Amino acid sequence: METAKKVRTRSRLIETAADVFERMGYAATTQADLAAAAGIGRTTFYEYYDSKEDLLVHLVESQIPELSEELCSGLEELGPVQQMSELVVRMIQFVGTDPLGLILHTEVPKLHEDVQRRMASAHAPLSRRFVSIYEAGVDSGEFVAMDSMLAARLIYESIMTAGRVLKSTSDPKQHVHRIAEAAAGFVMRGFAA
C-alpha cells in the first residue's frame, strides 16, 4: 500500500506532466524535466513511473473519465443524429485545441504498441458511446446499417483527419468551428439512411 506521501507525489507528477507537456511539448520533455518540475530527483521519478510514456498513460487514464463525461454531457436529451453530430464536433474541438488532445493526436501514433493499447483501453468508454449512438441511429432508421466497428473506425478517422487539418492551421482555435462542423457534416452524410 502506498503511503500518503507517495500518493501525493504520484498526483503531483501527473498534474505537473500536463503543464510541462503543454509548455515544452511532449517530444522535447525529458524525465529530468518532469522530475524537476515536480520537485523530485530524476532517479525518484522512476520510483513512480517507468518512463515518460508511462506517465503520459497515467495522465490520460486519470483525465479521460472526467473528459468523457464532459464531452457526453447533455447528449442523452438529443436524438441519435444530433448526438453523433455534437459528439463529433466536441471531439474535434478537443483533439484540435486542447493541449492534451494535441498530445494524444500527435504523439500516441509514435508510441510503443503496448502504450497505444493502454491508451485505447482508456478511451474505450468513449468509443463505446460512439458505437451506441450509431447503433441507436440504425435502430431508429436514421443511420445506414454497417458493421459497428467499421462505423466507429470511420468516425475516428474523420475526427483525426479534422484534427490534423486544424493542427496545420496558424491558429487552430480560430478555425475549429468551421472544420469541426464540416467534418461532422461529412460523417452525418455518410451515415444518413
Side-chain angles (χ1 to χ4, degrees):
M1 186 154 118
E2 285 191 321
T3 66
K5 181 181 178 192
K6 282 199 168 231
V7 170
R8 283 192 308 273
T9 302
R10 187 177 295 280
S11 294
R12 189 169 65 245
L13 272 164
I14 288 174
E15 291 168 14
T16 300
D19 177 59
V20 174
F21 291 152
E22 179 180 356
R23 197 169 20 86
M24 297 178 68
Y26 177 82
T29 301
T30 66
Q31 283 95 328
D33 296 326
L34 294 163
I40 62 171
R42 192 177 67 172
T43 55
T44 304
F45 175 92
Y46 295 104
E47 292 178 26
Y48 296 92
Y49 298 102
D50 296 335
S51 64
K52 175 175 73 168
E53 288 180 347
D54 186 37
L55 177 55
L56 177 62
V57 171
H58 281 86
L59 170 65
V60 169
E61 289 171 342
S62 72
Q63 292 190 359
I64 284 293
E66 183 179 327
L67 173 66
S68 295
E69 191 174 307
E70 185 180 311
L71 288 170
C72 296
S73 176
L75 293 180
E76 54 281 337
E77 301 166 11
L78 306 172
V81 170
Q82 294 83 10
Q83 283 186 47
M84 182 67 75
S85 180
E86 183 62 25
L87 190 52
V88 168
V89 166
R90 290 176 185 183
M91 282 295 300
I92 292 168
Q93 289 171 335
F94 169 72
V95 166
T97 62
D98 185 274
L100 182 59
L102 290 170
I103 289 169
L104 293 174
H105 179 72
T106 58
E107 300 302 328
V108 170
K110 301 174 193 174
L111 301 178
H112 292 98
E113 206 172 287
D114 60 322
V115 173
Q116 290 186 36
R117 275 194 296 276
R118 285 179 64 193
M119 294 286 196
S121 178
H123 285 84
L126 193 53
S127 299
R128 284 193 295 273
R129 183 64 185 262
F130 272 108
V131 170
S132 70
I133 292 169
Y134 168 73
E135 290 174 343
V138 170
D139 291 345
S140 69
E142 297 172 272
F143 294 150
V144 63
M146 66 176 78
D147 179 81
S148 294
M149 294 320 302
L150 173 60
R153 192 68 189 176
L154 290 169
I155 295 165
Y156 171 81
E157 292 299 336
S158 296
I159 291 168
M160 291 298 118
T161 298
R164 282 190 289 279
V165 170
L166 268 175
K167 189 176 177 295
S168 71
T169 66
S170 59
D171 184 2
K173 289 183 180 181
Q174 180 181 349
H175 300 281
V176 69
H177 295 294
R178 176 180 57 83
I179 291 171
E181 293 293 332
F186 175 80
V187 170
M188 301 319 299
R189 285 188 299 278
F191 287 149

